[in-house]
Amino acid sequence: MSTLSPMTNSSNSMAERIAEIRNRIALACARAGRDPAEVTLLPVSKTFEVPAIREAIALGFTRFGENRMQEVAQKAPLLADCGVQWVVIGHLQTNKAKEVAKFAHELQSLDRLDLAEALERRLQQEGRAIDVLVQVKTSPEETKSGLEPTELFEFLRKLTSYQTLRVRGLMTMAVLSDDTQAVRACFSQLKQLQERARQEAIEGIALDRLSMGMSGDFEIAIEEGSTEIRVGSAIFGSRG
Ligand SMILES: *Cc1c(COP(=O)(O)O)cnc(C)c1O
């Protein structure tokens, strides 16, 4: 009865899990000669309940990643007292633009013009503007969404005409694979696209941010230039 529980992720407290992630961020930054202050940790709370989000809020987080608008619409009123900023990271159907305009602080999965169009209309109705990242498909997997890299520059130019969408950077999901070289190639492709897009110097578009890296691959993403990692299970536990 007196056996010590092993120090696995699930037996540690959330504060300990976050401290461990911060430590891994610092080590990855040291390997890459980067300042850890350049890398933001975005907790991804999808599928986790409000009490777990409150625990993370108590640890200092205000932005939370979610991938389904239905879930944001349920959670947002329950956390209205906390000043949470909801960051939408999942593939969005165009008919969800209205919910995004109501609840989202930021959208990281903008990948097509009809969605931009719908968001512009709904955001104007709400009298709001939001930050957006353009999601790029860097993985060969059919299931991954995002804009084709070859379409990026033209897409960015078109986005400059949408007043309610403040384009801040790029986002990607790497291939799900044990082959770290294949994962790294996805992240380095996004970094190269950022550099080339900056050379194009599209007016009104800064592209300072690169959202890449999740629980399983964030160290590689940081080594390749990520400015924001989206971490769910390593903070909140397994989604089962
Ligand atoms: C779920 C999700 C994450 C977080 O995944 P974990 O493996 O739990 O860290 C990050 N980005 C996107 C787009 C997601 O859908």
Side-chain angles (χ1 to χ4, degrees):
M1 293 305 278
S2 64
T3 51
L4 290 170
S5 57
M7 293 295 279
T8 60
N9 265 354
S10 52
S11 63
N12 289 347
S13 69
M14 187 183 290
E16 286 170 314
R17 291 192 296 269
I18 287 168
E20 152 125 37
I21 293 164
R22 296 245 186 249
N23 189 38
R24 287 167 58 191
I25 292 172
L27 291 170
C29 282
R31 284 195 296 277
R34 301 184 59 199
D35 177 354
E38 292 170 15
V39 181
T40 302
L41 173 58
L42 175 70
V44 174
S45 52
K46 69 183 186 199
T47 76
F48 294 99
E49 305 289 338
V50 162
I53 300 175
R54 284 196 185 273
E55 199 178 339
I57 291 168
L59 294 168
F61 293 95
T62 51
R63 299 165 71 236
F64 290 90
E66 289 279 345
N67 67 341
R68 291 173 56 238
M69 282 322 299
Q70 203 185 336
E71 205 174 319
V72 177
Q74 279 168 6
K75 289 173 177 175
L78 302 174
L79 289 160
D81 55 318
C82 299
V84 168
Q85 298 181 339
W86 299 104
V87 178
V88 179
I89 59 173
H91 178 73
L92 261 195
Q93 289 175 298
T94 308
N95 65 13
K96 295 293 187 297
K98 186 178 173 181
E99 275 89 2
V100 174
K102 271 204 168 65
F103 296 110
H105 182 76
E106 176 181 322
L107 172 69
Q108 297 200 349
S109 47
L110 183 61
D111 61 358
R112 58 193 196 280
L113 273 184
D114 73 333
L115 180 58
E117 191 76 48
L119 287 167
E120 171 90 344
R121 197 157 43 87
R122 294 297 186 175
L123 283 161
Q124 274 175 355
Q125 286 167 9
E126 296 285 331
R128 300 178 58 222
I130 60 171
D131 288 348
V132 297
L133 305 184
V134 174
Q135 182 173 358
V136 181
K137 188 175 184 300
T138 57
S139 155
E141 287 162 301
E142 292 287 332
T143 52
K144 292 281 194 301
S145 50
L147 193 75
E148 289 296 331
T150 50
E151 296 169 12
L152 177 63
F153 301 148
E154 193 190 339
F155 184 67
L156 289 172
R157 274 191 207 94
K158 288 187 174 149
L159 285 184
T160 57
S161 59
Y162 297 97
Q163 310 295 318
T164 61
L165 304 176
R166 298 182 296 242
V167 182
R168 299 293 196 221
L170 307 176
M171 181 271 230
T172 203
M173 285 175 90
V175 61
L176 185 64
S177 167
D178 292 334
D179 176 358
T180 57
Q181 286 312 313
V183 170
R184 190 177 295 279
C186 295
F187 296 141
S188 93
Q189 185 182 9
L190 198 70
K191 176 73 189 173
Q192 283 166 24
L193 286 168
Q194 178 199 37
E195 280 168 2
R196 282 176 42 209
R198 281 170 156 176
Q199 283 161 12
E200 300 273 313
I202 304 165
E203 202 176 319
I205 292 199
L207 295 186
D208 293 324
R209 295 174 49 195
L210 280 187
S211 171
M212 52 188 202
M214 323 198 324
S215 293
D217 58 18
F218 70 79
E219 283 132 318
I220 302 172
I222 290 169
E223 288 167 14
E224 296 302 323
S226 173
T227 68
E228 177 158 348
I229 60 174
R230 309 176 305 269
V231 179
S233 49
I235 293 177
F236 293 102
S238 146
R239 280 186 297 274

